[in-house]
Amino acid sequence: MQKHNTALDLHPISFPHRPQSCVGCTMCKTNKAPYNDASKRPDPLPGEHLEFEVFEIKPAHLGVYPYGLAARDKASKYVSTFLLEHKDEALVQAIRFHQKLKSCYQVTTKVFRCDPGELGTSIAFKKYCEANGFVLETGTPRQPQMDGGAERTIQTLKNMMHVFMFDCKAPLGYWGYAMTHAADIINVLPVLSANINSPEESISGIRPRVSHFQPFGSAVYYHLEKMDRTSPAAPRRNEAIYLGADSPSIVKLLDIQSGRVIRHRFKDCDFRHNLYPSWPSLPSPILNATGPIEPTRVPDLTASENIMVNTKVHNHLELMRMARDEPLSPETLHALRDKRKPPTLHKSILKSNTTHVQQHVNPNTSTSSRTNRPPRSTAPHRVTIPSNIAPAPQRPTRPFNRAFLASTSFTSTTDLDEWETQTFGEDWTSCALLDATHDKPASSTTAADLLSPSDRDPPNRNSAMKSAFKDNWIKAEQAELTALQESQTYSYAFAPDSANIIGSKWVYKIKLNADGSVKRFKARLVAQGYTQRFGFDYAETHSPVMRSATFRWLLALTALNRWSTRMLDISSAYLYGDLEDPVYMKQPPGHDDGSGRVYKLKKGLYGLKQAGRIWYIKLVTHLKSRGYVQSNADPCVFYKTLGTERVFLAIYVDDICFFGHQRMINAAFNDIKSAFKVRDLGPIKYTIGIQVEHMPSGIFIHQSKYIKEILARFSKYFTPYPISVPLPTSFKSAPSTETSALMPDPKLYLEAIGCLNYAAINTRPDLSTAVSYLSVFSSEPSTEHWDYLMRTYRYLNDTKDHGILYSNSGNSSPHGFADAAYNIHSGAKSQLGYLALLADGAISWKSTKTPIVPLSSTEAEYMSISELGREIQSFINLYTALDIPVTMPLTLFEDNMSTIHQCNNDVFSHRSKHINVRYHYIRELVNTKQVTITYIKTADQPADLLTKPLGRDAFSKHRSKFGMCSWTSVKILDNQ
């Protein structure tokens, strides 16, 4: 007014400073400041700045997921969406999103930004960020404009979702699929405002593929496999609704008839862009065929106690597992929750004064039936546990999902077990909720499946006395001591002052049958032989055992000659050996009479360094006294002839296998039974980890039981989809770690290789090449090598029942094949492989790297056939030592003409003068007419499988020449 002179009676006033508004105006008139950021930071790189926002949409997706999490990379605009049943699950999904970007795109994250809700106020999330050096930014309450990037992304997703669902008239309960499809499309569209070709290209550097995107809700006709068709006349395709794509080659479909969500190969689908079929009715509260989940019965912690258990976690676990997603452990969810909030029992963390709580199932309740169950409720159930209910044994439950916590790397220096203790304390216990989808059917459950590891094999006597089978272990100990007394293994004595007194301990083992059922409880008193002194209480310790190749050779002869077999086990075999020098041992734990006396051992005892040797000497002495002749080719093979009938004995420690005519087998069995306590095991069915099947057409050997065990051990590391070859032809044997990081735990790699190797050397020659190649990296395995190893396990999973068939009508004389892959390894070394066949089945094979560098392919092949000659000579020695007729010379097949010429002639030139003398042994075999070398085409050379990775057709062709087939096919052919 003063400036423009708009009033008559206004006196001039001087203002030394700019006038400030009064308190009343500040309190009542001011508005919020604009949200434009005046101090902009430099543009981040892809992956440096991640934004998260939780949103809610009703009705819930499939009636289960009312919430969602939008995750966005600020620089590249890359978006991912996650469906949530509870808001506190946002923490787990946020960490997964970060881990995905880190592992797939090698980005470095610096800033996490989220709203001040469940995610922004979580102490666990703050600790995760602090441990990994991230900056956690949160806005102020009720200020969504501060998270403009994520809010704008959610709005865009919602708009696209509404359009998709409106066009195809989809029920509102399917919004989760539409929003995921919208996020996938956003990631491949250009961002003009940021001059970005596409978010996916910006973060990965690779242009995306878009041909697999189809209109949401459009009709799809997908191909049905033969096993899924109701009859040969049924249609070959089913109608479905397109829901989106998991990858350019895999699409998600909603089957109209069944209402199930399936994943199918994109190329096997026929799309109709302009056809929108009617949607099936929305499944009730949870997915089809699942039904609501019963309240979980937890173990009796006190006499009777009321425990709150929420079924929401049940529903979430089941949905995630049915979708084949990584399961979210309820303990993990609780571990990552805000510790400032009161702990809720529906998150499965129960604090008590007990030391361990395991998951139990009511034995009177069927977990396989899902029909007669109460309706789903989100409210907690109050369950009263009567004190008179004895919980049934169940699989042990891990405290929480350790694999996930290890992958998130909460700190780079803290061990996971230490992190558990720091987070939960020393006495924390957990009660995991029942996962009904993992329950085994009653028909396939064995007694061994119900045993925890500590109950099955207690590590010491204290554990055995605390286990549920205490009485069984006490009886087993008494039986062991009784056997020792009856055999006069020891006597009580006071040890001389200069005597070396060794200790003793109990070893517990539950013996299993071939089908995995419990056979008996065994307690073995073992001497602590590591305290023995050489030259005082022991000298020589070597004790031979039967070669696996000899065992397979005897089985092949049995098939050809239609012999019988039998097997026995020597009870407490080591107790029969006589000690030359006395050994003093303390009385066993739990059975010390307190007199100060010790055991003076007169006979062998398990654990003594010389126990195996003195037992072997005892058995050999007895067999020779009964007229059995020991083979010079294999010291563990004996034979006896009576007229035209024969019997052969093969010894593997305390297991003795008989091959030959039935009358001679019975006589040999009685000869051994007269001197030792034996258990008759009948015809050979299972020994040294090999299962033996007797059929009219021959003998089939396999290791299905062992293979299933190792597959179960490593199943969490691979996806069990079928694969036709162990290693791809593109596999490189050079041990390079430039493209992938080293494995954090090389021991795991060695364990997996060792388990695979045991199968490869006994019944699975098709695995030999993969084991040989992958063993090269044992010292420093990388994650890439681990992936190749798990690929081999996938092949093994698809061929777990494969083995070797020895046919009654097969070849009666051994013959062999040798091959080499020249200069295939680093350092210019080659791969050798050979195969020996009898009765149309493999009896010996080898795949190994050359110890030296061959200078030509001829030299490599020459080394290979020389190794085969040595192996064939060992079988010739067996034929000779056991007085079995064989047609000479034996035929060896080679696909290199220069090598054949080298074997048949004493060539000495500048190209062969350097070859080690040991490899010229093959020439002596040829000159003495014991073997002959014959040419074979490379395409027909089965030993090629043992030298390098092959393609599917060649691998399958050569594998069949090994006599390998599946046990299922053998049974079918034998029944025809």
Side-chain angles (χ1 to χ4, degrees):
M1 293 173 63
Q2 177 178 326
K3 180 177 180 180
H4 296 284
N5 194 20
T6 58
L8 295 175
D9 55 352
L10 180 63
H11 299 284
I13 303 174
S14 176
F15 296 96
H17 303 289
R18 184 175 180 178
Q20 296 182 350
S21 59
C22 63
V23 176
C25 292
T26 301
M27 296 292 292
C28 303
K29 293 183 178 180
T30 54
N31 295 321
K32 293 194 296 184
Y35 283 91
N36 55 339
D37 189 0
S39 58
K40 292 187 177 181
R41 308 183 212 177
D43 292 337
L45 296 175
E48 283 189 352
H49 192 125
L50 305 183
E51 300 174 331
F52 302 94
E53 187 72 25
V54 179
F55 58 90
E56 180 180 9
I57 296 181
K58 293 184 179 180
H61 174 68
L62 298 180
V64 178
Y65 297 105
Y67 304 102
L69 173 70
R72 175 178 178 264
D73 174 34
K74 185 175 181 180
S76 65
K77 317 302 180 187
Y78 184 83
V79 179
S80 282
T81 59
F82 304 91
L83 301 176
L84 312 176
E85 187 177 358
H86 309 284
K87 281 189 176 182
D88 53 10
E89 296 171 14
L91 170 57
V92 179
Q93 302 296 358
I95 295 176
R96 282 183 177 171
F97 178 70
H98 168 246
Q99 293 293 328
K100 173 186 174 182
L101 297 185
K102 180 181 177 181
S103 60
C104 296
Y105 306 119
Q106 288 78 44
V107 299
T108 301
T109 303
K110 296 181 180 179
V111 179
F112 280 9
R113 184 171 183 86
C114 53
D115 61 5
E118 289 281 341
L119 195 58
T121 58
S122 171
I123 292 179
F125 194 44
K126 290 180 180 178
K127 289 184 178 180
Y128 175 79
C129 294
E130 292 173 0
N132 290 274
F134 305 142
V135 176
L136 177 61
E137 294 183 351
T138 58
T140 57
R142 298 180 181 85
Q143 302 292 324
Q145 295 88 341
M146 299 186 69
D147 302 310
E151 292 286 349
R152 177 65 259 181
T153 300
I154 293 176
Q155 188 60 47
T156 303
L157 290 171
K158 288 182 178 180
N159 292 341
M160 296 178 67
M161 174 196 73
H162 287 310
V163 173
F164 292 158
M165 300 184 69
F166 177 80
D167 288 343
C168 65
K169 297 179 175 57
L172 298 180
Y174 288 106
W175 63 263
Y177 298 123
M179 180 163 286
T180 303
H181 184 56
D184 293 340
I185 291 180
I186 288 176
N187 289 334
V188 300
L189 293 177
V191 185
L192 300 180
S193 61
N195 195 23
I196 294 176
N197 292 337
S198 68
E200 187 170 331
E201 181 179 353
S202 177
I203 196 169
S204 66
I206 302 174
R207 286 194 301 172
R209 295 166 58 183
V210 297
S211 59
H212 57 285
F213 286 116
Q214 308 295 326
F216 182 81
S218 59
V220 183
Y221 297 93
Y222 68 92
H223 181 74
L224 283 174
E225 300 295 337
K226 291 183 179 180
M227 63 184 68
D228 296 327
R229 301 173 195 166
T230 55
S231 70
R236 295 187 177 184
R237 291 181 180 267
N238 261 9
E239 186 179 11
I241 297 174
Y242 177 80
L243 297 179
D246 285 347
S247 69
S249 59
I250 303 295
V251 294
K252 286 185 296 189
L253 308 175
L254 176 64
D255 187 271
I256 295 179
Q257 294 181 2
S258 63
R260 294 184 300 109
V261 177
I262 60 176
R263 300 168 72 248
H264 210 273
R265 187 169 176 254
F266 170 73
K267 291 186 177 180
D268 289 336
C269 296
D270 186 8
F271 297 94
R272 295 291 187 269
H273 298 165
N274 298 324
L275 180 61
Y276 291 91
S278 299
W279 289 67
S281 58
L282 190 67
S284 60
I286 203 165
L287 289 180
N288 264 358
T290 62
I293 305 301
E294 288 182 335
T296 301
R297 184 174 296 277
V298 297
D300 185 15
L301 300 182
T302 58
S304 178
E305 182 172 317
N306 294 332
I307 298 177
M308 303 290 288
V309 180
N310 193 306
T311 56
K312 283 187 177 182
V313 181
H314 277 86
N315 299 339
H316 176 73
L317 288 172
E318 186 151 331
L319 282 169
M320 297 298 287
R321 291 188 174 101
M322 290 184 66
R324 295 182 180 178
D325 197 356
E326 181 181 352
L328 291 179
S329 168
E331 294 84 2
T332 303
L333 290 177
H334 177 80
L336 302 177
R337 282 176 61 88
D338 189 343
K339 292 297 186 293
R340 293 176 301 182
K341 299 180 179 180
T344 55
L345 288 176
H346 79 274
K347 289 302 174 186
S348 304
I349 300 297
L350 304 179
K351 294 290 185 179
S352 70
N353 54 3
T354 58
T355 58
H356 183 65
V357 181
Q358 290 184 340
Q359 170 187 354
H360 296 296
V361 185
N362 187 348
N364 300 321
T365 303
S366 173
T367 58
S368 59
S369 174
R370 299 172 181 239
T371 55
N372 302 322
R373 291 184 175 182
R376 178 181 181 272
S377 172
T378 58
H381 296 274
R382 185 172 295 276
V383 185
T384 302
I385 310 297
S387 59
N388 59 351
I389 293 182
Q394 186 69 8
R395 289 193 312 267
T397 305
R398 300 201 67 157
F400 54 86
N401 194 332
R402 297 168 58 95
F404 169 75
L405 292 179
S407 67
T408 55
S409 303
F410 277 79
T411 64
S412 58
T413 58
T414 303
D415 181 71
L416 187 58
D417 294 325
E418 182 180 347
W419 185 88
E420 295 177 18
T421 305
Q422 293 175 356
T423 305
F424 301 105
E426 293 287 350
D427 59 344
W428 78 280
T429 56
S430 65
C431 175
L433 299 178
L434 173 63
D435 176 14
T437 61
H438 284 186
D439 288 345
K440 291 185 178 180
S443 60
S444 64
T445 303
T446 63
D449 295 325
L450 302 178
L451 302 179
S452 66
S454 60
D455 285 338
R456 179 169 176 175
D457 299 318
N460 49 55
R461 193 173 192 276
N462 290 336
S463 299
M465 295 302 103
K466 294 178 182 178
S467 71
F469 305 102
K470 175 182 177 181
D471 295 339
N472 300 83
W473 295 128
I474 292 177
K475 292 179 181 178
E477 289 178 359
Q478 293 294 344
E480 174 73 359
L481 292 177
T482 301
L484 295 178
Q485 293 173 357
E486 291 177 353
S487 61
Q488 298 181 353
T489 302
Y490 67 90
S491 62
Y492 286 100
F494 290 98
D497 295 337
S498 59
N500 178 35
I501 304 176
I502 64 176
S504 63
K505 64 171 293 185
W506 290 102
V507 176
Y508 304 94
K509 182 75 174 179
I510 293 183
K511 297 287 187 177
L512 303 177
N513 294 311
D515 59 357
S517 59
V518 175
K519 189 176 183 179
R520 61 192 175 101
F521 290 82
K522 178 66 178 177
R524 176 75 69 186
L525 181 61
V526 178
Q528 294 176 330
Y530 57 85
T531 59
Q532 289 183 262
R533 292 188 297 171
F534 178 77
F536 288 85
D537 45 18
Y538 81 96
E540 296 295 333
T541 60
H542 174 70
S543 174
V545 294
M546 169 186 60
R547 293 176 60 223
S548 58
T550 302
F551 179 69
R552 291 189 294 265
W553 175 74
L554 288 170
L555 286 176
L557 288 178
T558 300
L560 289 171
N561 296 281
R562 302 179 187 272
W563 289 338
S564 300
T565 67
R566 196 172 181 179
M567 182 177 175
L568 62 80
D569 173 67
I570 308 292
S571 299
S572 304
Y574 280 14
L575 309 184
Y576 289 101
D578 299 318
L579 289 171
E580 297 179 358
D581 300 316
V583 177
Y584 296 93
M585 185 182 74
K586 297 177 183 178
Q587 297 187 39
H591 300 273
D592 193 339
D593 59 6
S595 63
R597 296 177 298 174
V598 297
Y599 284 178
K600 181 180 180 181
L601 301 181
K602 302 177 181 178
K603 296 185 177 181
L605 194 67
Y606 287 89
L608 293 178
K609 291 183 180 294
Q610 68 270 44
R613 178 179 177 82
I614 60 176
W615 153 245
Y616 172 77
I617 294 174
K618 181 78 172 183
L619 178 60
V620 169
T621 302
H622 174 74
L623 290 176
K624 289 182 176 180
S625 67
R626 294 302 180 102
Y628 294 90
V629 181
Q630 186 177 18
S631 167
N632 295 326
D634 191 327
C636 289
V637 177
F638 293 77
Y639 73 98
K640 188 175 184 179
T641 304
L642 187 60
T644 58
E645 295 184 345
R646 315 190 69 185
V647 63
F648 301 91
L649 282 68
I651 301 170
Y652 194 92
V653 191
D654 57 352
D655 293 332
I656 302 179
C657 299
F658 302 86
F659 309 85
H661 299 89
Q662 189 62 52
R663 189 172 68 88
M664 295 293 291
I665 290 177
N666 295 338
F669 181 87
N670 292 329
D671 286 340
I672 297 177
K673 186 178 179 180
S674 63
F676 309 106
K677 184 179 180 181
V678 302
R679 289 186 295 114
D680 187 4
L681 303 179
I684 301 175
K685 294 182 179 180
Y686 184 78
T687 181
I688 59 175
I690 299 176
Q691 295 168 255
V692 182
E693 312 289 348
H694 300 266
M695 302 167 300
S697 60
I699 294 177
F700 183 78
I701 62 173
H702 61 104
Q703 289 177 276
S704 300
K705 176 180 178 293
Y706 170 75
I707 290 174
K708 289 176 182 177
E709 290 175 355
I710 64 174
L711 286 173
R713 179 178 178 183
F714 296 99
S715 60
K716 59 183 177 181
Y717 300 109
F718 65 91
T719 305
Y721 60 80
I723 196 169
S724 55
V725 294
L727 291 178
T729 54
S730 59
F731 177 80
K732 303 297 182 183
S733 63
S736 173
T737 58
E738 296 179 358
T739 58
S740 58
L742 292 175
M743 280 191 65
D745 184 13
K747 182 180 177 182
L748 182 64
Y749 187 90
L750 295 176
E751 291 175 355
I753 279 287
C755 292
L756 211 59
N757 186 51
Y758 186 69
I761 63 178
N762 282 319
T763 62
R764 298 300 300 268
D766 54 332
L767 300 175
S768 297
T769 305
V771 171
S772 178
Y773 273 65
L774 293 171
S775 298
V776 174
F777 316 115
S778 297
S779 58
E780 289 186 342
S782 69
T783 54
E784 181 182 3
H785 304 145
W786 174 256
D787 291 340
Y788 280 120
L789 180 56
M790 290 301 102
R791 174 192 170 97
T792 306
Y793 270 85
R794 293 207 309 268
Y795 166 78
L796 186 64
N797 182 71
D798 196 42
T799 58
K800 62 174 71 72
D801 66 337
H802 278 48
I804 302 174
L805 175 64
Y806 300 112
S807 174
N808 292 339
S809 57
N811 62 298
S812 57
S813 296
H815 59 273
F817 303 83
D819 198 14
Y822 174 67
N823 192 20
I824 199 170
H825 290 288
S826 61
K829 292 187 177 180
S830 304
Q831 185 77 10
L832 308 182
Y834 68 74
L835 166 69
L837 295 178
L838 180 64
D840 290 347
I843 57 173
S844 182
W845 57 86
K846 189 176 184 179
S847 177
T848 184
K849 187 168 67 171
T850 57
I852 60 176
V853 177
L855 302 184
S856 64
S857 59
T858 298
E859 183 180 346
E861 299 273 359
Y862 190 69
M863 295 167 65
S864 178
I865 201 168
S866 179
E867 292 293 326
L868 173 61
R870 294 173 56 223
E871 186 69 12
I872 288 293
Q873 181 63 58
S874 70
F875 291 114
I876 294 176
N877 294 341
L878 282 170
Y879 278 103
T880 304
L882 301 181
D883 197 19
I884 301 176
V886 61
T887 303
M888 304 288 283
L890 303 181
T891 304
L892 307 184
F893 293 91
E894 172 59 51
D895 61 359
N896 187 296
M897 290 299 297
S898 298
T899 301
I900 297 176
H901 180 73
Q902 191 88 4
C903 295
N904 293 331
N905 301 277
D906 293 335
V907 178
F908 187 81
S909 66
H910 67 281
R911 292 190 177 185
S912 61
K913 62 183 180 181
H914 64 281
I915 296 179
N916 196 310
V917 177
R918 70 188 304 268
Y919 296 113
H920 294 313
Y921 177 71
I922 186 65
R923 290 180 179 174
E924 182 177 348
L925 296 180
V926 173
N927 294 335
T928 57
K929 307 298 182 182
Q930 297 190 71
V931 300
T932 180
I933 315 296
T934 303
Y935 176 75
I936 186 175
K937 294 181 179 179
T938 301
D940 299 328
Q941 172 65 279
D944 195 29
L945 185 147
L946 299 171
T947 62
K948 56 182 176 293
L950 300 177
R952 178 182 59 187
D953 295 338
F955 183 87
S956 178
K957 173 185 175 181
H958 293 326
R959 184 180 62 183
S960 63
K961 294 181 180 180
F962 283 62
M964 293 196 64
C965 53
S966 68
W967 173 227
T968 303
S969 63
V970 171
K971 289 189 291 186
I972 293 175
L973 293 175
D974 219 48
N975 293 331
Q976 291 180 351

